Amino acid sequence: MEQQLALFLNLLIDGISTGCLYALIAIGFSLLWWLADIVHLAHGGVIIAAGYAGHVLISRFAAPLWAACGVALVIAVVLGLSIQRGAYQKLRSQGTGEMGMLTASLGVLICMEYGLAIAFGPEGIQLDAGSARTPLLAGSGLVVDAYTVAVIATTAATFIALIVLMRVTQFGKNMRAVAENHDLANVVGIRVNRVVLGASMLASAVGVPAAVVFLYGRGLQPSDAIHIVLTAAIVAIFGGRGSIIGALIAGLFIGVAESVMVWFFDAGWREAITFSLLYVLLLVRPEGLLGKSPR
Amino acid sequence: MDTSALSLSVRGIQKRFRGISVLDGVSFDLQAGTITGLIGANGAGKSTLLNVMTGLLKADAGEVFLRGAAIGAVPTFKRARAGLLRTFQHPRVFPSFSVGKSIDLAGTSAKAERFYATLHSLFARTPARAPAGPTYTFQKALLAKQDVAASSLSYGDRKLLMLAQVLAAQGTVFCFDELFAGLGPSVIDQVRECIVEIANRGNTVVFVEHNLAVVRSLATRVIFLYQGRIYRDGPAEAVLTDPEVVRLYLGD
Amino acid sequence: MEYVLHIATIAGIFAILALALDLLVGYGGMISLAAAVFFGIGAYGSALLTKGGMSPTAAMIAGMAASTAISMLIALPAIRVRGIYLLIVTIAVQVVFTIVLQNWRSVTGGDAGISNIAPYSIFGVPLRGPLFTVFVWVSCVAWWGILLWVVRSPFGQVLQALRDDEIGAVSLGKDVVTTKLVAFAVSSAVSAFAGALYAHYSTYVDPHTFNITVSIAVLLMVMLGGAGTLSGAVLGAIVLTLLPEVLKFLPLPPGAAAPLRQLTYGALLVVVVFLRPQGLLGRGATPTPGG
């Protein structure tokens, strides 16, 4: 295959892989924001904690992947729930305003990040995907391995599951009702608090595949926490909060855009491009590309 | 028609919320020195109309004119500076301000609020602006509480504070949204007197009100809004005794 | 003694920075994580211009002007967007700023930064040691006084009214646009002043001194001391400058000090919001911005 084309396609594939990851980290954040106006900055910390949990099980206890995922899931859900109940709901009932909620969320994120750094050291963790990294289409010049396929498959499965949950299940319908109008949902008998707690469990759960992808991919370090949740926020804003499809499309778009940027710009500037794009978006259309217009 | 006396006009205002037409082609003219009552059942679009007139909402179609000039694209604060002021159905206060400071805030000129004025005052003494003396009992009562936190005022007092603020801000077109709800009878009389005085000075008043006795005693003209459209627009007595109006308004 | 002077100088510089942020966050109700951007513009500005031959005072003023101009990048969106959206705008600007500092090597020296910055001097007389510390604190008190005057002025009243109830303020004719722009301009200029002082004091600037971690620390100083009080900002700066020094005396495993300090910051943020949202010096009765 022609050299330049192969390079471009590889960037594209890398972008799609990254984009899937972005979509996974964003959807949990986006759902909570849409549902209850909660800016769950600590989501980044939850994902990293899940990653560390999985890592400990695999590297220190030689547990199989499915077991590690299970434990990571439990830990993520417990963390997410505790933060929801112990922090957000408590503060809301105290009458804390938006700035207080943001500050508290930021505080929890920082605690998690540095707590993990103290417990495990700041260097970060990574797992070797081993044979999953063998290029599948050897000789074509395209870098596609089982890992990439797994990432895309996991993302697809997660999103399909989410869409089904949203459309078909009672819980999904309840979520939509609560997002639409808290008070009205209360009146029709929906336990709003329960739904929000359920959503935060869901948000944490969806973060686990993301953590696994990170582990076997670029690795995780505690200092990634802010970066992760920031990316989640960007994707959520781009895709419109609460929109599952939006998160997927936005995640892929940003992942591919970042990757392809390397074609034109020095790698160091990549992030600057993304953030500049975000800045322009917020100026022009703060509700995101797929969100509903405010006025 | 003498257009110079037209202080506020709206033409063909349309506004939809989620597919429901809240305002559907509303048009009327207000003359300086008049008091117009705006009545209608809940959800008829009265507050929405006020929001469109003052610029807090953008109409889907139609235009608002202030003294003949189209102000659809003018931001709310500029409309207010041009004299278009309003009070709110649910009383608003500035929680960290005292009563006195709230009124001072309303009465300060745009010029004095510029940052340049602040810098200038660092170096030169500007003569103290003589505050306009209180005319009405309710204003005197508020001044007696001038160091009280605005957030600790009762519902009725908050409404009076809103009124005092728009008076201090020297408007020319006043829009009151359910001002009389929650006020005691003696206060209602004062406020009525105050509004009559505002109009006598050549200003324009339009007020949304559910208390029809007050409307009858105050308004010279009444507009009846029904399902987003003007159903009747005429002399107060005629509209208020119109059997159709009574049926639609009270029947809802 | 030198150690005490060092702490005092750093505390003073951050007090000025916190005062600047309090104007925006406490009095303007606009949350920002970009304090380090303007701090950095002032610092790098002074570094580059004094190396180019300008006098420190002129360089400082130039840095303040540049800072004001760049602050419009946040101020203009701040008119329309608020809450989390504004926060993300400030984060975006902060992150891009750090990236620019790291990658625009020809100007900023990249990760290596700029070193050998001369000490601050007035009319050619260098201010070193205790003299500089005094200068820092005199400046701090001066800015404190100026900002106090600003928040008590009609302009300041409008700023606070917009914070309390923007719709109400705007309906009374208050100019939301100009007020917000000016608030950002003043805040960023004062931050740049602090940055200039810092550059001359440490004689060395690099991107890591002006990243989001620093912005978070300054926000914490304001929240901890009490947003919207000015004196709270100064107190918060003093407390948070002393805190890491206190931690140094604790028997900790090596390498744990830095993350522990950050962990404490995070914990403090949460504790403040839970127990005393108005901060140490804030008034209990009145709600905090946004509360």
Side-chain angles (χ1 to χ4, degrees), chain B residues 91-124:
Chain B
R92 307 184 85 101
V93 292
F94 300 110
S96 66
F97 282 66
S98 66
V99 170
K101 288 222 171 110
S102 301
I103 299 176
D104 282 343
L105 173 76
T108 314
S109 69
K111 204 168 163 210
E113 283 164 353
R114 281 156 54 214
F115 189 68
Y116 175 73
T118 306
L119 289 177
H120 187 253
S121 65
L122 269 173
F123 306 105

Side-chain angles (χ1 to χ4, degrees), chain B residues 93-97 101-102 105-106 113 165, chain C residues 27-28 154-170 172 174 179:
Chain B
V93 292
F94 300 110
S96 66
F97 282 66
K101 288 222 171 110
S102 301
L105 173 76
E113 283 164 353
Q165 285 180 306
Chain C
Y27 291 90
F155 169 83
Q157 298 299 295
V158 172
L159 182 65
Q160 292 176 76
L162 286 167
R163 169 201 68 194
D164 280 2
D165 178 10
E166 188 169 313
I167 290 180
V170 146
L172 283 172
K174 303 310 169 191
T179 308

Side-chain angles (χ1 to χ4, degrees), chain C residues 8-9 11-13 16 131-141 197:
Chain C
T9 312
I13 291 174
I16 299 174
L131 199 54
F132 186 69
T133 312
V134 168
F135 179 67
V136 168
W137 276 97
V138 166
S139 314
C140 180
V141 172
L197 289 180

Side-chain angles (χ1 to χ4, degrees), chain B residues 9-21:
Chain B
S9 296
V10 299
R11 282 282 173 282
I13 299 290
Q14 295 201 19
K15 182 71 186 170
R16 301 177 82 83
F17 282 127
R18 301 214 176 149
I20 301 172
S21 192

Side-chain angles (χ1 to χ4, degrees), chain B residues 9 26 38 43 52 58 64 88 104 111 121 136 155-156 160-161 176 183-184 209 212 237:
Chain B
S9 296
V26 173
L38 186 60
V52 169
K58 203 164 165 63
V64 182
F88 292 85
D104 282 343
K111 204 168 163 210
S121 65
Y136 303 97
Y155 181 86
L160 293 176
L161 180 57
F176 298 114
L183 297 181
E209 194 51 59
L212 295 182
E237 197 57 39

Side-chain angles (χ1 to χ4, degrees), chain C residues 242-256:
Chain C
L242 287 177
L243 189 65
E245 307 307 317
V246 167
L247 286 177
K248 278 186 191 160
F249 290 102
L250 296 175
L252 293 169

Side-chain angles (χ1 to χ4, degrees), chain B residues 66 74-84, chain C residues 170 173-175 177:
Chain B
L66 186 64
V74 176
T76 304
F77 78 88
K78 285 196 181 157
R79 299 188 197 193
R81 278 291 171 204
L84 178 53
Chain C
V170 146
K174 303 310 169 191
D175 188 345
V177 176

Side-chain angles (χ1 to χ4, degrees), chain C residues 175-192:
Chain C
D175 188 345
V176 56
V177 176
T178 312
T179 308
K180 285 191 176 180
L181 291 179
V182 172
F184 271 100
V186 173
S187 176
S188 65
V190 177
S191 305

